[in-house]
Amino acid sequence: MDRLRVPMQDQERFNNTLPWHELAADVTPSERVFVVHHLGIPQMPPVQDWYLVVDGLVERPLRLGLSDLQGFERREVLAVHECAGSPLRPTVPVRRVANVRWSGVTLASVLRGAGIAAAARYVWATGADGGIYPPTGHPNECYRKDLPLAKALQDEVLLAWEMNGAALDTRHGAPVRLVVPGFYGTNSVKWLTALSLQPDRADGYFTQTLYNDEVVRDGEKVAQPVWATAPNSVIVAPALGAQLPVGRCDIRGWAWGAAPIATVAVSTDGGQRWMPAQLRPRREFGWQGFGASWDATAGAHTLMCRATDAQGVAQPLSGARNEVMRLAVSVG
Ligand SMILES: Nc1nc2c(c(=O)[nH]1)N[C@H]1C(S)=C(S)[C@@H](COP(=O)(O)O)O[C@H]1N2
Ligand SMILES: [Mo]
């Protein structure tokens, strides 16, 4: 089935990221949610002209407008939204993160509405945007990602048209985007125009070339798609570079990962000694608040936080996108 085609907006790409101390709220206000797009922003048509094609290994291909989608049961999910960082520098942490309440319908309900054929293994999701990826000059017919069907059918995975109770902003993928809680942001395709059930992984630069981590498994180097989020954490108070008075200082932050976080440890001396932080339980797929009280002494200090998930996987100290954060502050 033919998907919707639109021109691109003639405008600068931008990736905006806030300093972490502006992420103090449990649910991140929409204007503080980072914006990332690789090819620019497409000129989406008026919402009544938008449609989504569902095809491939389905019993009945569908062409759905927004009002058709709204006929499925509504579902809301609170979820961490985390960018994996530059796909050209997969081990460099950026910690672009937010905690968002998304609303829409489950991807599963729409796929089941089309009838899932037995041979289907992956869901390919296509955005309306296309063009050059500036860092490498590679041309792209579209932005396309894929999900393993087993994940796609989890009921936290949404086709969303609302963010924090308001209609999605154009920059965040209006009118409808995919939201994949527990997977990195790159998988949450914005400006969605097509879903296709397929037996194999998707074609295209963003699934075949970029967003594949090299990992060693059983002594062999293999490519691992950038899907599930690894445990991670940020300190939101005090702020990076803060000048603090001597005495009691509350260290606060957020921890998250595909699996719930079980413990967070905090260091105030660059990782020589660690103390356990207090940690809130996970709510839905959201991040978990942690806090620790520190008796700050005069001098320069490096604050660090390290999350360990319920499966015992801890943030590495270095060399990974989720390596522990180091925050320099001075006291006195
Ligand atoms: N269509 C489309 N979807 C996309 C992208 C894109 O370039 N095009 N970028 C992805 C990346 S890398 C991230 S981190 C998130 C960012 O979503 P946001 O801008 O709403 O925060 O969108 C993802 N979805
Ligand atoms: Mo990203």
Side-chain angles (χ1 to χ4, degrees):
M1 229 190 258
D2 275 348
R3 67 181 181 95
L4 178 70
R5 304 288 172 142
V6 307
M8 296 296 286
Q9 287 186 23
D10 181 19
Q11 86 173 41
E12 292 291 298
R13 287 172 193 78
F14 64 102
N15 298 327
N16 76 338
T17 312
L18 286 172
W20 296 285
H21 68 263
E22 292 190 23
L23 298 176
D26 183 10
V27 178
T28 311
S30 298
E31 69 276 10
R32 294 193 170 176
V33 176
F34 64 86
V35 176
V36 172
H37 38 77
H38 292 308
L39 310 173
I41 295 181
Q43 280 181 33
M44 298 306 282
V47 69
Q48 61 274 16
D49 295 336
W50 173 86
Y51 62 89
L52 174 69
V53 161
V54 185
D55 65 9
L57 295 169
V58 295
E59 285 152 19
R60 300 167 288 283
L62 301 175
R63 186 189 144 134
L64 304 168
L66 183 59
S67 55
D68 300 318
L69 280 185
Q70 288 168 338
F72 291 87
E73 191 186 339
R74 190 182 162 90
R75 168 104 161 90
E76 279 196 6
V77 177
L78 177 67
V80 175
H81 178 50
E82 181 189 14
C83 174
S86 166
L88 302 176
R89 281 169 289 136
T91 60
V92 176
V94 295
R95 282 181 266 266
R96 252 181 228 131
V97 65
N99 200 31
V100 177
R101 180 159 288 285
W102 305 98
S103 324
V105 294
T106 65
L107 173 61
S109 60
V110 173
L111 296 178
R112 292 208 168 96
I116 302 168
R121 292 287 173 276
Y122 296 90
V123 180
W124 296 10
T126 304
D129 47 333
I132 303 280
Y133 177 62
T136 59
H138 190 277
N140 302 278
E141 197 256 317
C142 58
Y143 184 80
R144 177 174 292 145
K145 299 290 300 188
D146 58 19
L147 296 177
L149 185 61
K151 175 69 183 182
L153 294 179
Q154 300 296 309
D155 77 348
E156 70 270 17
V157 180
L158 301 189
L159 304 181
W161 55 84
E162 277 183 21
M163 179 187 224
N164 294 332
L168 268 185
D169 190 273
T170 303
R171 299 174 312 157
H172 290 298
V176 175
R177 76 177 297 169
L178 190 60
V179 172
V180 190
F183 274 24
Y184 284 104
T186 173
N187 300 290
S188 291
V189 174
K190 307 198 274 190
W191 311 295
L192 198 63
T193 58
L195 295 169
S196 189
L197 286 173
Q198 295 290 335
D200 300 307
R201 292 212 57 202
D203 55 10
Y205 194 51
F206 295 95
T207 53
Q208 293 289 327
T209 306
L210 302 182
Y211 292 111
N212 286 287
D213 289 340
E214 198 177 83
V215 298
V216 178
R217 208 175 285 145
D218 303 328
E220 259 181 64
K221 278 187 188 165
V222 293
Q224 174 176 286
V226 177
W227 278 333
T229 53
N232 208 343
S233 58
V234 290
I235 291 170
V236 297
L240 175 64
Q243 302 273 339
L244 305 168
V246 170
R248 186 189 152 132
C249 170
D250 284 326
I251 298 170
R252 284 188 293 112
W254 305 113
W256 68 92
I261 299 303
T263 59
V264 173
V266 168
S267 174
T268 58
D269 59 7
Q272 291 171 53
R273 285 169 305 156
W274 293 87
M275 57 176 159
Q278 299 222 315
L279 179 68
R280 274 197 248 147
R282 184 155 97 172
R283 195 154 62 96
E284 300 182 44
F285 291 81
W287 58 24
Q288 296 167 242
F290 68 84
S293 177
W294 172 39
D295 192 15
T297 53
H301 297 269
T302 299
L303 308 186
M304 296 165 71
C305 53
R306 189 181 196 193
T308 301
D309 73 16
Q311 282 141 24
V313 181
Q315 286 182 252
L317 292 171
S318 64
R321 65 167 68 81
N322 66 324
E323 72 185 33
V324 298
M325 178 182 199
R326 286 158 197 273
L327 195 99
V329 296
S330 66
V331 177

